[in-house]
Amino acid sequence: MSSSNAWLLECGDALTVAVGDHEIVECVQPERYYSIPGTPGYCSSVLSWQGKLVPVMDIAAAIHEERGLPQDTSFVCLLSYQRAPRQPLEYLALRISKTPQKIQVDDEQVCELPEGDAFDLLKSVAFCCFSHQQLPVPILDIVRLCSEEFRELAQAS
Amino acid sequence: MDQMNLAVINFDTVQLLIPQAAIATIEMIDNMEADAGTAGTVGRLRSGGREWPVYALSADLSRRTECMASNKYCVAFEIDGEPAFSLACDEVSSLALDSADQIKPLQSFMRNHGNPIEALMLKDDRLMLVSRVESMQRFLEVELAA
């Protein structure tokens, strides 16, 4: 049996997702968000971080627009990802409602993503799913989350 | 790299950057002939025997049916020497950049279909939206009309 480290991220609206141990850069409460017109509601602003403009995403709002986290109270978790080997690191700020929790996940916890509108959308951006305290937790593929395909699916759902 | 000369066009709470070379003329808004309701424009601008449709935009880039009280100027743009469109705005200034490094592309997953904003720049704690005259024309004439 193998196990690996992961971070649990509570994204509001009773939604918990996980990312790999190496993908979290830091958690911050930004002083300011910069809104951009013509962007999807769940990813409509950026924040300034270390000279970069980082997209801010609210997964709960992607599933149900009206259930997004309030902008003035939520933290963001800065995630790093690579679109392909030897490509530069890119960053995403994911809105979260609580401090991330580090856990160990082992093979026995793997489960199917349940059916249902929230999980239907998350299926498109999940590597797989595991059960944690009786709740299904998808492990996010950040590259697919930061894609035009996900934007189109979220806007169609 | 060559210096980049950009026009900074202010309307509502937006600062829009467009290459300065695309500007044909800047006129006072009083010189605009109002014709609200025609194809989403707020008026027409005539200058030097040429004519431009004038659009007024809100901060969310939606088309307004009339100019804002703060609009003082019409910036008229051309493409390949031909009149393209004109934007009602509060202020126009220029910005010379020695490097394009300050301009960050707007990631494609953040761009709704037809969004003319191609890049972003943070300056003095204000976010500037970067576009090109071709993208703005397509947005004004096609996307917003759809």
Side-chain angles (χ1 to χ4, degrees):
Chain A
M1 184 179 77
S2 68
S3 68
S4 33
N5 291 326
W7 287 93
L8 283 182
L9 307 176
E10 292 199 18
C11 298
D13 199 26
L15 177 67
T16 302
V17 298
V19 294
D21 189 23
H22 61 286
E23 291 173 313
I24 283 198
V25 180
E26 65 174 300
C27 293
V28 292
Q29 189 164 22
E31 286 180 14
R32 188 161 176 196
Y33 296 98
Y34 300 92
S35 294
I36 306 163
T39 49
Y42 68 91
C43 191
S44 61
S45 61
V46 292
L47 59 83
S48 175
W49 178 77
Q50 295 192 357
K52 299 173 176 64
L53 292 172
V54 180
V56 179
M57 188 179 289
D58 184 337
I59 295 187
I63 296 164
H64 293 293
E65 196 161 355
E66 68 280 9
R67 295 190 198 163
L69 287 167
Q71 199 168 75
D72 53 347
T73 56
S74 63
F75 294 89
V76 296
C77 185
L78 282 158
L79 306 173
S80 66
Y81 63 99
Q82 266 182 309
R83 293 200 180 268
R86 289 187 290 280
Q87 291 290 303
L89 282 178
E90 296 184 48
Y91 298 90
L92 174 72
L94 204 61
R95 281 188 200 284
I96 52 173
S97 53
K98 281 188 182 168
T99 310
Q101 182 190 350
K102 193 170 187 176
I103 58 163
Q104 276 212 322
V105 182
D106 62 50
D107 294 346
E108 287 183 349
Q109 290 174 259
V110 172
C111 68
E112 291 290 316
L113 258 172
E115 299 295 323
D117 62 349
F119 293 106
D120 286 346
L121 184 61
L122 289 174
K123 260 181 196 163
S124 67
V125 291
F127 284 119
C128 61
C129 184
F130 64 88
S131 176
H132 178 74
Q133 296 175 348
Q134 283 76 55
L135 286 175
V137 179
I139 301 177
L140 291 181
D141 178 344
I142 305 171
V143 172
R144 281 195 279 163
L145 189 64
C146 295
S147 69
E148 292 173 58
E149 291 75 17
F150 180 71
R151 185 198 67 218
E152 285 169 12
L153 281 173
Q155 290 178 329
S157 69
Chain B
M1 202 200 110
D2 290 344
Q3 183 172 278
M4 290 177 71
N5 293 305
L6 300 165
V8 185
I9 298 154
N10 293 261
F11 55 87
D12 204 342
T13 57
V14 168
Q15 287 194 304
L16 179 68
L17 300 183
I18 293 186
Q20 196 168 294
I23 294 181
T25 182
I26 301 170
E27 305 283 336
M28 299 301 292
I29 198 102
D30 295 343
N31 295 340
M32 179 188 82
E33 296 168 24
D35 71 348
T38 308
T41 60
V42 292
R44 303 201 76 75
L45 184 70
R46 294 177 213 277
S47 176
R50 300 198 292 172
E51 186 178 308
W52 288 263
V54 183
Y55 297 89
L57 298 178
S58 298
D60 62 358
L61 301 186
S62 60
R63 266 192 313 215
R64 298 177 57 86
T65 54
E66 56 185 27
C67 291
M68 296 177 78
S70 57
N71 292 160
K72 292 191 184 83
Y73 305 99
C74 289
V75 189
F77 297 94
E78 59 188 8
I79 297 175
D80 297 330
E82 295 297 317
F85 62 91
S86 175
L87 283 179
C89 65
D90 305 350
E91 282 179 38
V92 191
S93 56
S94 61
L95 177 67
L97 294 180
D98 292 329
S99 159
D101 291 351
Q102 297 169 67
I103 295 179
K104 316 290 185 193
L106 178 60
Q107 301 228 32
S108 60
F109 68 88
M110 289 189 79
R111 289 181 71 182
N112 283 345
H113 182 73
N115 183 349
I117 307 306
E118 298 181 357
L120 308 169
M121 191 176 97
L122 196 60
K123 186 170 186 292
D124 301 330
D125 204 32
R126 282 203 67 179
L127 190 72
M128 298 172 140
L129 309 176
V130 184
S131 186
R132 289 177 304 122
V133 68
E134 293 84 358
S135 304
M136 282 302 297
Q137 185 182 42
R138 191 163 50 247
F139 174 70
L140 292 166
E141 294 184 356
V142 180
E143 301 297 336
L144 286 181

